[in-house]
Amino acid sequence: MGEFELIDRFFRRRGRAPRDGVALGIGDDCALLQPAAGMQLAVSTDLLVEGRHFLSTVDPRRLGHKALAVNLSDLAASGARPLAFTLSLALPAVQETWLEGFAAGLFALADEHGCELVGGDTTRGPLAISITVFGEVPAGQALLRSGAREGDDVWVSGTLGEARLALEVFRGTLVVEAPVFEAARRRLEEPAPRVALGQALRGLATAAVDVSDGLLGDLGHVLRASGVGATVDVEAAAATMAHGGAVEPQRRLECVLAGGDDYELAFTAPRSRRPEVEAAAGSAGTTVTRIGVIDTEPGLRLRDAQGRAVPGRYGSFDHFA
Ligand code: ADP
Ligand code: MG
């Protein structure tokens, strides 16, 4: 099977009207996007490399899902609505069942979010997947990392730490019961990007980031960009972890604070807007938890529920560290 037959068979979807905002999709030299009047394009890209970001044994359907999910999570953190994406693939060989599974997982999530595949590139090489997503957001209303202010609450969506728990089990450094592992593994392999929540937080959150490299590391980006610090109640954060009781308290803290691959949103909002944040989360079908407060002193201070300082360093993932 040649390159063009492969694209045609697995990635070009016939007989579908293009979504609004997409003027031209796959097949020409460029795709053409047409955001609605008054909207800005939000653009983000991610590269997934076998052995680095996923294991060779991962179910291709789940891999297709995750490759797009991590990009949609960036749109969510910006408060953008997904429009379209491109897909660049390096494949060691054409394996039809692998490609079918990958495409099925990819398109299932794409359709859930009305995000259309509009182009890409396909080449032979060690397995790697790069997706670029395009979303739209009313001009000037994107959520940024730089808007957190003293006195704001720090919030996280959903649950944290399960992806790391699954990774530890895969590595053989943790043992849990089979149903706990299965649930955690789904969080690792099929994360649900918080796209609806991100949009609901426009005009409400003062800053936002998606949690991909670990809560404290990603929150640190917000603090530096905003020129502020924060005090975080680590027990409130740890309590979000589903099946957190399956691991000892110190491991739970590590999973929640530094685990990564959660694809939840961490965001800040003024204290006066708590009811609106709760309502936004309700309308988006996501839980949110208050885990701390922004202060003026730079850096992160960790406290337990009684307000006592919690020692320890919880680094985040860095490919070149
Ligand atoms: P070019 O040589 O101009 O880069 P290609 O011949 O590589 O174009 O691709 C032909 C068409 O197929 C283009 O519209 C391109 O965007 C699309 N395409 C290539 N690979 C993929 C892919 N993996 N998924 C979706 N579209 C793809
Ligand atoms: Mg090309």
Side-chain angles (χ1 to χ4, degrees):
M1 182 182 315
E3 178 185 335
F4 300 106
E5 196 188 338
L6 183 157
I7 296 163
D8 225 52
R9 169 133 172 236
F10 296 103
F11 297 113
R12 195 197 295 255
R13 302 166 90 197
R14 305 204 171 275
R16 300 168 65 96
R19 135 198 236 307
D20 64 301
V22 175
L24 183 65
I26 292 178
D28 216 303
D29 291 307
C30 288
L32 297 173
L33 301 183
Q34 182 69 64
M39 304 295 259
Q40 287 177 321
L41 265 189
V43 182
S44 183
T45 195
D46 262 296
L47 173 63
L48 300 184
V49 175
E50 181 176 5
R52 269 271 130 201
H53 303 93
F54 60 91
L55 307 168
S56 58
T57 50
V58 69
D59 174 359
R61 182 182 278 265
R62 290 184 173 188
L63 185 59
H65 173 106
K66 183 162 180 176
L68 181 58
V70 301
N71 282 281
L72 291 175
S73 181
D74 286 319
L75 290 184
S78 299
R81 185 173 76 112
L83 272 184
F85 67 106
T86 61
L87 168 68
S88 294
L89 270 181
L91 298 170
V94 176
Q95 287 187 324
E96 296 185 22
T97 50
W98 189 93
L99 278 161
E100 267 162 21
F102 179 83
L106 180 83
F107 285 127
L109 185 67
D111 291 348
E112 195 183 308
H113 293 282
C115 194
E116 184 170 322
L117 178 61
V118 295
D121 202 17
T122 309
T123 174
R124 194 182 288 275
L127 183 58
I129 305 154
S130 178
I131 287 181
T132 300
V133 279
F134 303 87
E136 61 177 14
V137 60
Q141 288 186 37
L143 302 176
L144 306 180
R145 296 178 175 185
S146 52
R149 293 295 172 259
E150 182 191 6
D152 283 355
D153 292 318
V154 179
W155 298 81
V156 292
S157 66
T159 68
L160 295 168
E162 297 99 65
R164 178 58 174 268
L165 186 153
L167 194 62
E168 299 271 346
V169 174
F170 274 122
R171 286 175 176 162
T173 51
L174 198 62
V175 178
V176 295
E177 285 175 11
V180 173
F181 173 60
E182 251 333 293
R185 178 181 186 171
R186 284 196 83 90
R187 285 301 308 268
L188 176 67
E189 296 181 350
E190 286 187 294
R194 301 304 184 192
V195 172
L197 178 64
Q199 291 171 79
L201 290 173
R202 286 199 310 245
L204 191 54
T206 48
V209 69
D210 69 317
V211 181
S212 53
D213 296 329
L215 172 65
L216 297 187
D218 288 321
L219 184 58
H221 296 314
V222 167
L223 302 182
R224 277 186 296 278
S226 300
V228 294
T231 301
V232 167
D233 175 350
V234 298
E235 290 177 13
T240 66
M241 185 176 179
H243 309 290
V247 291
E248 50 159 316
Q250 184 57 35
R251 295 294 285 282
R252 187 196 313 189
L253 272 191
E254 285 162 17
C255 288
V256 167
L257 300 180
D261 257 350
D262 300 295
Y263 301 103
E264 295 293 352
L265 299 184
F267 59 97
T268 58
R271 202 189 154 85
S272 60
R273 306 197 72 180
R274 283 180 188 172
E276 291 164 86
V277 170
E278 300 277 4
S283 74
T286 312
T287 59
V288 287
T289 305
R290 255 188 305 120
I291 60 159
V293 59
I294 296 293
D295 29 55
T296 46
E297 187 189 336
L300 251 173
R301 287 153 293 281
L302 307 183
R303 298 279 186 270
D304 67 14
Q306 280 74 48
R308 291 175 300 217
V310 172
R313 287 187 58 80
Y314 299 90
S316 68
F317 192 74
D318 177 340
H319 283 282
F320 295 101

